[in-house]
Amino acid sequence: MSRYAIQDANLGGDLATWNGRVIVHDSRGELEFLLTGDIRIVECPRSLPPEQTIELRFHPHFAHHQFPIRREAYQ
């Protein structure tokens, strides 16, 4: 299964992190739906161990979302 990360153009292309862990999610489409701004959604490097990542659903700013996302719930 692919994991996707958020690349922040304002941080020189670094992957977005929270508490030192790279934020990842298994759905590129959901990331593109939820996030806007000067970012790119990229495939997470396979060399990045899981213990150095945090799934988007566990990030405090996204904990109130239910995954998988139902787009009709956001209208």
Side-chain angles (χ1 to χ4, degrees):
M1 176 186 298
S2 292
R3 293 184 307 166
Y4 297 94
I6 306 149
Q7 189 177 49
D8 191 329
N10 295 320
L11 297 175
D14 289 343
L15 298 178
T17 63
W18 183 75
N19 281 350
R21 299 172 81 184
V22 175
I23 303 166
V24 298
H25 190 52
D26 63 356
S27 172
R28 178 186 194 105
E30 288 184 351
L31 283 173
E32 291 170 343
F33 177 75
L34 289 172
L35 303 171
T36 61
D38 200 9
I39 61 167
R40 288 180 16 174
I41 307 303
V42 297
E43 205 165 315
C44 187
R46 296 187 192 278
S47 60
L48 189 64
E51 60 270 10
Q52 292 180 11
T53 66
I54 181 170
E55 292 184 36
L56 182 71
R57 63 188 170 133
F58 297 126
H59 188 288
H61 293 152
F62 294 92
H64 64 282
H65 294 279
Q66 288 188 340
F67 295 95
I69 294 292
R70 290 183 40 233
R71 292 180 186 220
E72 59 272 7
Y74 292 84
Q75 295 182 13

